[in-house]
Amino acid sequence: MRVLIVEDEVRLAASVARGLQADGIYADLAHDGRDGLWRAREGNLDAIVLDIMLPGMNGYDMCRTLRAEEIWTPILLLTAKGGEFDEVEGLELGADDYLRKPFSHAVLSARLRALARRGKSPRPTSLEVGDLELDPGTRHCSRRGKKITLTPREYSVLEVLMRRSPEVLTKDEILLSAWGMDFEGDPNIVEVYIGYLRRKIDKPFAVNSVRTVRGAGYQVVA
């Protein structure tokens, strides 16, 4: 497995690279956004670890440029502690995951392996599953041309299900994507939000697109 680390803190980048290499993950390094963009375009990479605050070109612009060029290498953003707005903006620009500083090498390695398993399939900004449409940029949801109003959490749950449709996602996978690693509440909250979504996007249209796969998880299908 080969990853690119784009981080302007030289010591941190070298430390991360050593930790990943100990786990059998080869790491290339870039210390500014423009060099990182060049390496991301040219390299045969399984994932990119991308800091947001970079000289030359920041992480947002690098992420936006790669996705506009239809380069779908999975991107994991490094964000400051408490940087929720950083995370939201990065994910809406096409990043796949985020990790807050400081972080453990074990967690970073596990996240990167999970992203590599997802692969480089296109992840367009506008999502469609049958006649259900979701636009992460505008946070607009509609079915058959009729607007559907969602709360931020309902939106997050639906987005992860649609991005990976028709995969069946476990409760833990949905919690990680929609609530984050720091969630310490009742995991059954996922079932509650699945019910909310069904009442909004399925029941009024007499369809059954949000499905429970007993013993496995949930999926959204056409």
Side-chain angles (χ1 to χ4, degrees):
M1 183 174 168
R2 184 181 177 199
V3 304
L4 171 66
I5 301 168
V6 190
E7 167 62 67
D8 64 329
E9 294 183 39
V10 177
R11 282 188 172 181
L12 175 60
S15 173
V16 171
R18 286 194 299 270
L20 292 178
Q21 287 169 3
D23 289 337
I25 300 173
Y26 179 78
D28 286 336
L29 297 179
H31 300 303
D32 67 75
R34 295 193 183 281
D35 184 35
L37 180 62
W38 178 82
R39 291 175 182 270
R41 285 168 170 164
E42 299 298 322
N44 183 20
L45 302 168
D46 295 292
I48 299 169
V49 179
L50 179 60
D51 192 27
I52 292 175
M53 302 303 294
L54 294 167
M57 171 183 281
N58 65 42
Y60 293 140
D61 289 340
M62 183 175 161
C63 183
R64 182 189 293 109
T65 300
L66 290 173
R67 295 312 187 226
E69 295 176 359
E70 299 188 352
I71 296 173
W72 300 107
T73 306
I75 294 174
L76 185 148
L77 286 178
L78 298 181
T79 71
K81 185 176 181 180
E84 288 86 358
F85 292 106
D86 293 344
E87 295 152 11
V88 169
E89 185 168 355
L91 293 171
E92 290 186 350
L93 288 173
D96 300 273
D97 199 358
Y98 65 86
L99 198 57
R100 297 181 188 177
K101 298 178 180 178
F103 52 85
S104 76
H105 286 297
V107 172
L108 175 61
S109 179
R111 293 285 191 93
L112 289 173
R113 291 186 189 281
L115 289 177
R117 288 194 295 271
R118 186 182 303 179
K120 302 179 184 179
S121 58
R123 293 179 294 282
T125 54
S126 182
L127 307 174
E128 295 182 11
V129 177
D131 58 5
L132 181 64
E133 299 182 14
L134 194 71
D135 186 338
T138 62
R139 303 184 80 82
H140 177 84
C141 178
S142 65
R143 173 160 250 156
R144 301 173 192 167
K146 183 177 180 180
K147 182 179 179 181
I148 300 171
T149 301
L150 301 175
T151 67
R153 193 71 72 187
E154 290 167 350
Y155 173 89
S156 296
V157 173
L158 181 59
E159 181 182 11
V160 65
L161 288 169
M162 288 184 67
R163 281 196 183 279
R164 296 180 60 180
S165 174
E167 287 183 53
V168 177
L169 301 187
T170 66
K171 194 177 294 184
D172 286 344
E173 287 176 308
I174 296 171
L175 281 172
L176 180 61
S177 293
W179 276 265
M181 288 188 65
D182 300 328
F183 178 75
E184 297 180 351
D186 186 348
N188 290 326
I189 192 68
V190 173
E191 297 174 17
V192 174
Y193 275 86
I194 291 293
Y196 292 160
L197 287 175
R198 285 179 175 139
R199 286 195 287 273
K200 287 187 175 183
I201 69 175
D202 277 359
K203 188 174 180 180
F205 302 92
V207 297
N208 178 28
S209 61
V210 182
R211 298 184 182 178
T212 301
V213 180
R214 192 170 298 278
Y218 304 94
Q219 65 180 163
V220 169
V221 297

